[in-house]
Amino acid sequence: MNSSFYRLSTHPMFTGYYPLRILSSLQKGCRRFCDLYRSMDTSSRLSLLCHIGESYGVDQRAIVDVAQKVIDSQARGEVLMLRTLERLRRALTPRYQLLLGDIGRLEGGVKFLADMRADILNMLSTTSSDLDRAHLEALQSCLRELLSLWFTMGFLQLERATWHSSCDMLQKISEYEVVHPVRHWADMKRRVGPYRRCYVFTHNSMPREPIVVLHCALTKDIASSIHSILDMRGYSEKTEMDLTPPMEEVEKAEHITTAMFYSVTSTQKGLQSVDLGNYLIKRAAVELQKEWPQITQFSSISPIPGFRDWLTGEINRQCGALKDCSLKEEQYLITQNEISSLCTTDSIKPEALIALERLKDHVINVTWTRDQDIVTVVKPILMRLCVRYLYREKRRGYALNTVANFHLQNGAVLWRLNWAADNSPRGLSSSCGLMVNYRYFLEDTVTYSQEYIEHKQIRASQQIKELCEGLHC
Amino acid sequence: MNSSFYRLSTHPMFTGYYPLRILSSLQKGCRRFCDLYRSMDTSSRLSLLCHIGESYGVDQRAIVDVAQKVIDSQARGEVLMLRTLERLRRALTPRYQLLLGDIGRLEGGVKFLADMRADILNMLSTTSSDLDRAHLEALQSCLRELLSLWFTMGFLQLERATWHSSCDMLQKISEYEVVHPVRHWADMKRRVGPYRRCYVFTHNSMPREPIVVLHCALTKDIASSIHSILDMRGYSEKTEMDLTPPMEEVEKAEHITTAMFYSVTSTQKGLQSVDLGNYLIKRAAVELQKEWPQITQFSSISPIPGFRDWLTGEINRQCGALKDCSLKEEQYLITQNEISSLCTTDSIKPEALIALERLKDHVINVTWTRDQDIVTVVKPILMRLCVRYLYREKRRGYALNTVANFHLQNGAVLWRLNWAADNSPRGLSSSCGLMVNYRYFLEDTVTYSQEYIEHKQIRASQQIKELCEGLHC
Amino acid sequence: MNSSFYRLSTHPMFTGYYPLRILSSLQKGCRRFCDLYRSMDTSSRLSLLCHIGESYGVDQRAIVDVAQKVIDSQARGEVLMLRTLERLRRALTPRYQLLLGDIGRLEGGVKFLADMRADILNMLSTTSSDLDRAHLEALQSCLRELLSLWFTMGFLQLERATWHSSCDMLQKISEYEVVHPVRHWADMKRRVGPYRRCYVFTHNSMPREPIVVLHCALTKDIASSIHSILDMRGYSEKTEMDLTPPMEEVEKAEHITTAMFYSVTSTQKGLQSVDLGNYLIKRAAVELQKEWPQITQFSSISPIPGFRDWLTGEINRQCGALKDCSLKEEQYLITQNEISSLCTTDSIKPEALIALERLKDHVINVTWTRDQDIVTVVKPILMRLCVRYLYREKRRGYALNTVANFHLQNGAVLWRLNWAADNSPRGLSSSCGLMVNYRYFLEDTVTYSQEYIEHKQIRASQQIKELCEGLHC
Amino acid sequence: MNSSFYRLSTHPMFTGYYPLRILSSLQKGCRRFCDLYRSMDTSSRLSLLCHIGESYGVDQRAIVDVAQKVIDSQARGEVLMLRTLERLRRALTPRYQLLLGDIGRLEGGVKFLADMRADILNMLSTTSSDLDRAHLEALQSCLRELLSLWFTMGFLQLERATWHSSCDMLQKISEYEVVHPVRHWADMKRRVGPYRRCYVFTHNSMPREPIVVLHCALTKDIASSIHSILDMRGYSEKTEMDLTPPMEEVEKAEHITTAMFYSVTSTQKGLQSVDLGNYLIKRAAVELQKEWPQITQFSSISPIPGFRDWLTGEINRQCGALKDCSLKEEQYLITQNEISSLCTTDSIKPEALIALERLKDHVINVTWTRDQDIVTVVKPILMRLCVRYLYREKRRGYALNTVANFHLQNGAVLWRLNWAADNSPRGLSSSCGLMVNYRYFLEDTVTYSQEYIEHKQIRASQQIKELCEGLHC
């Protein structure tokens, strides 16, 4: 019992030593609990949550008893076994599940639980106590299951956001956008204007809240750069209320053959690992095909967050190994030709080391944007190594890069790597200006999704495979 | 493997021996499953459901292993135990839960699952195989949990049905009404007209479907008879489209002090034991108090289904016991005075026996409605015995009568028994024309509900208690 | 000044001798006027309206002055003339127009004015005073203009009534239906069910009120009988709430090539001669072609009210003339062959007379429905004479039959006369069971409408023309 | 026939020499007319409109005939006279009214006509030809009447704009605001946020278009400065999407006793002289009293456009007259004391002249905002002269200032003149920073409106009257 418990224990909810069951039957009790929780700082919340996990979880002794009975039932027939399993399942239901369910019934209750789960996920990454972590894990897992059931597809409403949507909705969509931040209202107006689609999922339990947001552009071909979609030059000088002129444009069917998904955002941290983005992409694809039957290509244009960090890390490691002479030539990140092209002058240091350091310097200082000669040298290297990062680097067998992992799980194909695709400071510093297309062949996503999830196989296009061929990839 | 399985096994869903996991990821697969199921007759459905229960339930061997680990974990610390319990919980999730969840995501899927659960509940009461029953029980329990989470209060919309509501909604409300059947559209129009309220819960997952229906009358006092609420004489003669005249009436605040709940219906058998009627009554009470702050009394006027059957059963048992001479006088259903008043003529048979047979005769032939003298004799007896039925007769400690049990669980008070309260053929034959008021003191329902649920205590009014006093109750 | 004026003059609205202009600026004054008017009986209303017409119409002396100026302006240039005409126009605006406009601004005000105009139209046909009639005529003409502007197409909403529409809307549609009266709710449900369309115009100013109603059936061919559309046998025996079974039917495109308009009703007498039915048919046609592009035929199946009365009148006249010997043979309604076939027995009276009397007897007693031999004789006669009634009988050059006049004004073609098309008592007694199709060729309605309105030409099909050929038509 | 007619005459609409009547019966014809008109430049539009006025107006000869009949009817009884007047009225209806009515029936047609009338109003002020002006005047008068009937109150919907309103609606409200221009979205969000109300009228015929806009602030007292309502400092520095924080504020009833109308805008030039702003203020007042029954004061805080221009004009005139010695002392704009206080130094010029020139200098250079001593001298002079401007300066007997005239027509009271009430550059340059409150006593607006409209009496408060007393006002 920590000190904060004593403070808590004076709260009406805890003083009476009421069993949680009764408390939870009281809507008032639930509301009071929510208010109490909201008024607390993080450390008090941690104490409260751990206390709940500890005191209102499962009855371990009872479970052990039933577990024993399960073992004993083995020889005594299916019917008995099934009944015992039912008893075991009941025993495994934590007592706080009742409280959580009752909170979910309150107005705003589901949002509260999602936010609470977001808290717990944060706590899990900062708390050092193993026991606290175990309790928090059980609690968040119970919440995940409840939220996952409540956010079943059938209960989500697909909406298209347009300039006719409400200001608060568009403001939220703007604020939640982190892939390509919205700069001002004119920018936002463009993203819901002609040749653009913005779809959101909303949910009864969180009125006026976009749960997932998908931005899409209607184009003539698979875009190789974000700048063809988000060209915002010239807006900032105008007075900001003057947004009208370029928006009146009418969409022409002959300009539309491709749907480019250029941003997908799950806005609720508390719904992490409740799979919604995938469903939104697929629902949107259905809507788009209804609206524009001539659309034949569906693809993302996606950032590659982490590429530069990974690359500089790799270079550092190779440089260290080179200095130790522990690196074999066949492990080199770059080819001899590339080494030569990077080391234009003579040097005493071993060439490979110099070349790698030069490469790192290019990457860090983004030198190529000012010098076409550097592009000639650097582009093939970065392209190849980026494909290596996306296609070969794994974590537990799945793509290390989270965006890649998301699209591959959805059944997309690693389609095309694009040079100079995002030259914003952000794009240059996180992925050397590269972006990648993940292409969706609607007929095959289920098959490809399975291949990836079950067999960890990544589908890639010819371009990707060729970039990746040879010794050094 | 029964024969119907072989037939089933030729269905695409089963031929491939695909693990259910993958199948369920296919929306098409789910749709095909629903279509298949719907096209089947009851016995094929039974086979299919048992097959699913058997083949796609839990992996018992795996559970036994984890159960053993739980037992072993006992001595090895809380953290390990919690992790093992999490594993056990995962092992206990039947594989078909994924399929059910995916079906729930389909349009109309939740309704399909609710209907399927209704099927299973029927099968459970007709199937003789213990093993089948065990599988079905596990399946319906899994469904109950899913449905219960989906029908969380926050997702239910309260609507008031009026003559402005849609025809299909009012038609469904009419058809679902079994407490006091709706006779024609004029009758229905009255039930949504002035001094009446009809509230329904609807749910996103079942569009245009009233899930629970509550009929309410606004009155000057607690009604002692259904006829003051549902007076329908004279309508049948008119041409049925001519409904307008009496409906224009404007409600006057001074005539309204009481809200009488005269019918509450859960329309979906598949949602049995998902507690919705209770919530509807309470939401309606809130709405009513907002609309008419001067309302001070909330009460039901409820039928007493089963009273006559119970009473004739009791009489038969006493008659048998009297013949066997195994009945002590203090066990008699009726008092000596009542015996005398029932046996107006001399007789050779023991008076008690004759009296009971006469009573039974009265009950069966509903003799009192034509003869005021009989009323004088029979009314006090039936009133007392009916209170005994409602107040004393128990099943597992709770009220035997299901309507009583419903209202008492909700926290109502057994308030008043009413003579000649429902003289329809149906009312006379099921409850000797008696009806009862369960009164809701809004402030106290939570307390009373707990007293009943946890301590099996029934709150009753003075009238009820007095009727029940004395030797024979 | 009649006596009722004195009574009226004590009403606040009149006591102050306020000029109407000011009164009307008071919303309260308008409301009070409406309440006053509504509380009056017909004769008081007449007095009030005449009083308004007389006292708050135009200033005749002022008009005469301006009229003189118009005449004088002739020689003095266009500019002066135009200004004088503007003055004249202003002088011609009755003072009460301001009051009417202000009433129109009240909630429910437009409905009030429409109802008041309906009153005036009734009064016009019953009042004998020429002066009263002149004032009423001016008043109703002013109202007609206002209503006509308010009920401009752009402000009318097209709605499709279905079983999902509100009960009060369907009840009103039922009650307003006079062409083929709705018999019960099951009947109504059918008329909004599969293979049926029911369109209504509603208007902001009369919420929840169907202004015009159009019933339509989707068929395989142009229907030759109302019974193929309104088959209601067998419904009456069922309990009336049990409407579900036959409604679940799904419409199949291959069964739909024709849209049959089988009833169109303008519900507001006060909107008489404000052309709405025509617009509704055309809007409905557009909707239907959007929904079912394969529809190629649009046609009505229409009653022929007044045919039997006209026919018996004609027969009576011919009989009289025959007795007077003032009828030439070429004027005979029926041919010699027909005379022979009608007079099966010998007779002393002149054959033609007997034949006509027999014909009248057949018509009045509807003899043919029981005897196929009579059909052989009577059918060709009635068919020909009915075409004569529809095609040749005129009033001011336009079709005498009002239904014919309506469809011909809309630009329809007199397409096909159908025998035994409405065998209901009503159909037999008003039009000998005949019905007629007016066919709409959407491309040509504008042209045909002009031909009819401007040149009084009726477009008719070959069948009609052939039926009408020869001596006696 | 001017040359542009020849060009026009090749357009399908004119080539056929069809009478307009028929053309207009064709929806297609109307659409083509609208498209044609929209594609034209101003001078072609002028030609087209004059051509329509000339060729499709009234038949003047026919009118002269009927006018003669009216004169002749005088002696021949009321009934004949009324009928002749009806004929005259019909003859006075220009033929193009049919076309205009048909255009009004098109989708977007009413908006088209309103825009066309706006064009005509512009043409009227720029065209020099008297004949063209006469035709245009007749055309716009016909349009005004149609529009006025279509924009009857009953068809206007009152909406409250909030941050939940659609972006396009709020953008339009922003763009239309000219009284106090909206600077950015944060500014707009504030104007629909807590303690603010923004009401608009919309109309079916112009979807998504605010026809009239009223901005209102809820305050503790009648505001004496616009800065207390529109304080926008500090917003510009923030990133513009970050609008959230100050908006969450909850309105407290105890802070609200007064509704301040601080801007009212009619957005459609084509609806000029169709009285809508007045109705919006009154509807808004009703809404506000429903929402906040404790509101006891309704007032505007209004600009005084034209005050400085009027004042400098008056000074110039007096200076001229002084130089001519044609100004009597009792006509002086300023008192002797004021002259002394303005002329602090000795001077050879007559003091009055110097004083007036100084005053003009102050007014033009807005000197007082930097120097409290100048305020002491200048404030009483400007206050008095401004009251004179508002209260005494007339045009045709009504207030010269258009804003004053608007509120006085609505029945408001000239309540309080406020010093330093709008220190924006705009406010200083147009009205020396003064603003005025027009107060609405809801009970009395009808009476006061009549007094003003009929008797040209202005209701003013004590403060106004006192400021205006004495020799020089």
Side-chain angles (χ1 to χ4, degrees), chain B residues 163 165 167 171 184-185 240, chain C residues 163 165 167 171 184-185 240:
Chain B
W163 193 241
S165 301
C167 288
Q171 186 186 356
H184 39 57
W185 283 86
E240 69 149 283
Chain C
W163 194 240
S165 300
C167 287
Q171 188 186 354
H184 40 57
W185 282 88
E240 68 149 285

Side-chain angles (χ1 to χ4, degrees), chain A residues 162-168 170-171 174-175 182-185 188-189 208 240-244, chain D residues 162-171 174-175 182-185 188-189 208 240-244:
Chain A
T162 72
W163 193 241
H164 291 178
S165 301
S166 75
C167 287
D168 64 327
L170 287 206
Q171 187 185 354
S174 297
E175 289 170 348
V182 178
R183 296 187 299 154
H184 39 58
W185 283 86
M188 191 66 223
K189 189 172 182 182
R208 315 198 70 81
E240 67 150 285
M241 298 307 294
D242 172 29
L243 313 170
T244 324
Chain D
T162 71
W163 194 240
H164 289 179
S165 301
S166 75
C167 287
D168 64 326
M169 177 59 88
L170 289 206
Q171 187 186 353
S174 298
E175 289 170 349
V182 177
R183 296 187 298 154
H184 39 57
W185 283 87
M188 190 65 223
K189 188 171 183 182
R208 318 198 68 81
E240 68 150 284
M241 299 308 292
D242 172 29
L243 314 169
T244 324

Side-chain angles (χ1 to χ4, degrees), chain B residues 251-271:
Chain B
E251 294 171 344
K252 285 177 194 150
E254 63 267 33
H255 294 172
I256 297 175
T257 64
T258 306
M260 295 299 308
F261 307 121
Y262 67 90
S263 174
V264 53
T265 309
S266 287
T267 67
Q268 307 295 309
K269 201 189 164 175
L271 294 182

Side-chain angles (χ1 to χ4, degrees), chain C residues 134-378:
Chain C
H135 284 306
L136 290 175
E137 191 55 64
L139 202 52
Q140 83 80 13
S141 160
C142 179
L143 278 169
R144 197 187 52 71
E145 218 163 299
L146 289 173
L147 290 167
S148 169
L149 279 163
W150 284 329
F151 282 85
T152 280
M153 264 293 284
F155 299 179
L156 290 162
Q157 273 100 46
L158 182 76
E159 276 179 43
R160 184 182 158 196
T162 71
W163 194 240
H164 289 179
S165 300
S166 75
C167 287
D168 64 327
M169 177 59 87
L170 288 205
Q171 188 186 354
K172 280 174 196 157
I173 291 173
S174 298
E175 289 169 350
Y176 283 132
E177 174 64 30
V178 291
V179 185
H180 304 289
V182 177
R183 295 186 299 153
H184 40 57
W185 282 88
D187 184 0
M188 190 65 223
K189 187 172 182 181
R190 261 209 114 186
R191 296 190 195 196
V192 295
Y195 297 111
R196 297 292 177 272
R197 293 292 178 277
C198 175
Y199 295 104
V200 300
F201 271 149
T202 57
H203 193 263
N204 269 6
S205 70
M206 298 190 189
R208 316 198 68 82
E209 189 73 27
I211 308 289
V212 203
V213 184
L214 173 67
H215 288 278
C216 181
L218 307 178
T219 60
K220 266 203 135 156
D221 218 331
I222 295 182
S224 59
S225 142
I226 191 65
H227 303 293
S228 64
I229 292 168
L230 294 177
D231 174 16
M232 298 158 208
R233 283 160 305 170
Y235 271 83
S236 45
E237 297 92 52
K238 296 191 186 179
T239 65
E240 68 149 285
M241 299 307 295
D242 171 28
L243 314 169
T244 325
M247 296 298 124
E248 303 297 334
E249 208 182 335
V250 171
E251 295 170 344
K252 285 176 194 151
E254 64 266 32
H255 294 170
I256 298 176
T257 64
T258 306
M260 295 299 308
F261 307 121
Y262 67 92
S263 174
V264 52
T265 310
S266 288
T267 67
Q268 307 295 309
K269 202 192 163 171
L271 295 181
Q272 191 179 294
S273 81
V274 175
D275 191 13
L276 298 171
N278 179 15
Y279 288 117
L280 182 51
I281 288 178
K282 282 164 191 176
R283 280 289 308 275
V286 169
E287 287 300 304
L288 285 165
Q289 281 209 309
K290 245 191 272 166
E291 198 187 348
W292 301 108
Q294 80 273 26
I295 290 184
T296 54
Q297 304 181 103
F298 293 86
S299 172
S300 80
I301 172 100
S302 303
I304 312 163
F307 170 53
R308 196 175 69 164
D309 288 352
W310 169 85
L311 182 56
T312 52
E314 290 295 301
I315 293 173
N316 286 341
R317 209 168 317 129
Q318 292 229 332
C319 289
L322 277 173
K323 285 174 192 158
D324 298 351
C325 299
S326 65
L327 194 74
K328 297 186 194 143
E329 208 181 315
E330 63 266 32
Q331 294 174 322
Y332 281 15
L333 277 174
I334 48 180
T335 64
Q336 278 304 340
N337 282 347
E338 288 165 357
I339 289 172
S340 306
S341 65
L342 282 163
C343 301
T344 42
T345 57
D346 294 327
S347 165
I348 341 173
K349 281 207 244 175
E351 279 201 319
L353 188 61
I354 297 172
L356 283 170
E357 282 173 345
R358 291 249 166 105
L359 180 59
K360 190 172 140 190
D361 182 65
H362 287 308
V363 165
I364 285 168
N365 296 310
V366 196
T367 53
W368 61 86
T369 58
R370 282 150 277 153
D371 186 339
Q372 191 54 39
D373 288 347
I374 301 177
V375 171
T376 319
V377 174
V378 161

Side-chain angles (χ1 to χ4, degrees), chain D residues 8-27:
Chain D
L8 288 176
S9 69
T10 62
H11 188 271
M13 197 183 143
F14 294 89
T15 44
Y17 296 101
Y18 289 153
L20 203 59
R21 204 204 156 291
I22 291 176
L23 270 178
S24 74
S25 79
L26 289 146
Q27 277 220 338

Side-chain angles (χ1 to χ4, degrees), chain A residues 215-471:
Chain A
H215 288 278
C216 181
L218 305 178
T219 59
K220 266 202 134 157
D221 217 332
I222 295 182
S224 59
S225 143
I226 192 67
H227 303 294
S228 64
I229 292 169
L230 294 176
D231 174 17
M232 296 155 208
R233 282 160 303 167
Y235 270 83
S236 43
E237 297 91 52
K238 296 189 185 182
T239 66
E240 67 150 285
M241 298 307 294
D242 172 29
L243 313 170
T244 324
M247 297 297 123
E248 302 296 333
E249 207 182 337
V250 171
E251 295 170 345
K252 287 177 191 148
E254 63 265 33
H255 293 172
I256 298 175
T257 65
T258 306
M260 295 299 307
F261 307 121
Y262 66 91
S263 174
V264 53
T265 309
S266 288
T267 68
Q268 307 295 310
K269 198 184 169 180
L271 295 180
Q272 190 178 295
S273 83
V274 175
D275 193 14
L276 299 171
N278 180 16
Y279 288 117
L280 182 52
I281 288 177
K282 281 163 191 175
R283 281 290 307 277
V286 169
E287 288 300 305
L288 286 165
Q289 282 210 308
K290 247 190 272 168
E291 198 187 349
W292 300 107
Q294 80 271 29
I295 289 184
T296 53
Q297 305 181 101
F298 293 86
S299 172
S300 80
I301 173 100
S302 302
I304 311 164
F307 169 52
R308 195 174 73 162
D309 287 352
W310 169 84
L311 183 55
T312 51
E314 288 296 300
I315 293 174
N316 285 342
R317 209 168 317 129
Q318 291 227 332
C319 290
L322 276 172
K323 283 173 191 159
D324 296 353
C325 301
S326 64
L327 194 75
K328 293 180 197 150
E329 210 179 314
E330 63 267 28
Q331 295 173 322
Y332 282 16
L333 278 173
I334 46 179
T335 64
Q336 277 306 337
N337 282 347
E338 288 166 357
I339 289 172
S340 306
S341 64
L342 282 162
C343 303
T344 42
T345 55
D346 293 327
S347 167
I348 341 173
K349 279 206 241 174
E351 279 202 320
L353 188 57
I354 296 170
L356 283 170
E357 281 172 346
R358 293 245 165 107
L359 180 60
K360 189 173 141 191
D361 181 65
H362 286 308
V363 166
I364 286 169
N365 296 311
V366 197
T367 53
W368 60 87
T369 58
R370 281 151 278 151
D371 185 341
Q372 191 55 38
D373 289 346
I374 301 178
V375 172
T376 319
V377 175
V378 162
K379 179 179 165 182
I381 303 174
L382 291 182
M383 292 285 278
R384 191 188 69 247
L385 291 174
C386 188
V387 164
R388 175 166 164 176
Y389 169 65
L390 291 171
Y391 193 39
R392 298 274 195 233
E393 291 292 321
K394 301 289 169 61
R395 191 176 166 235
R396 295 187 197 159
Y398 295 111
L400 174 65
N401 181 270
T402 53
V403 176
N405 189 46
F406 170 76
H407 289 291
L408 295 171
Q409 273 189 326
N410 298 347
V413 172
L414 185 52
W415 187 251
R416 192 174 70 199
L417 191 64
N418 301 292
W419 178 256
D422 181 359
N423 287 325
S424 70
R426 186 193 179 85
L428 289 167
S429 74
S430 76
S431 60
C432 304
L434 296 171
M435 295 190 85
V436 61
N437 302 121
Y438 300 98
R439 185 158 174 191
Y440 285 78
F441 294 96
L442 299 186
E443 302 280 289
D444 301 317
T445 50
V446 170
T447 316
Y448 296 173
S449 173
Q450 272 173 238
E451 288 176 4
Y452 181 70
I453 292 171
E454 309 204 345
H455 307 295
K456 303 177 179 173
Q457 287 172 6
I458 296 177
R459 286 262 171 177
S461 70
Q462 210 49 35
Q463 186 227 30
I464 298 294
K465 284 181 188 152
E466 281 167 11
L467 275 170
C468 202
E469 264 165 15
L471 197 67

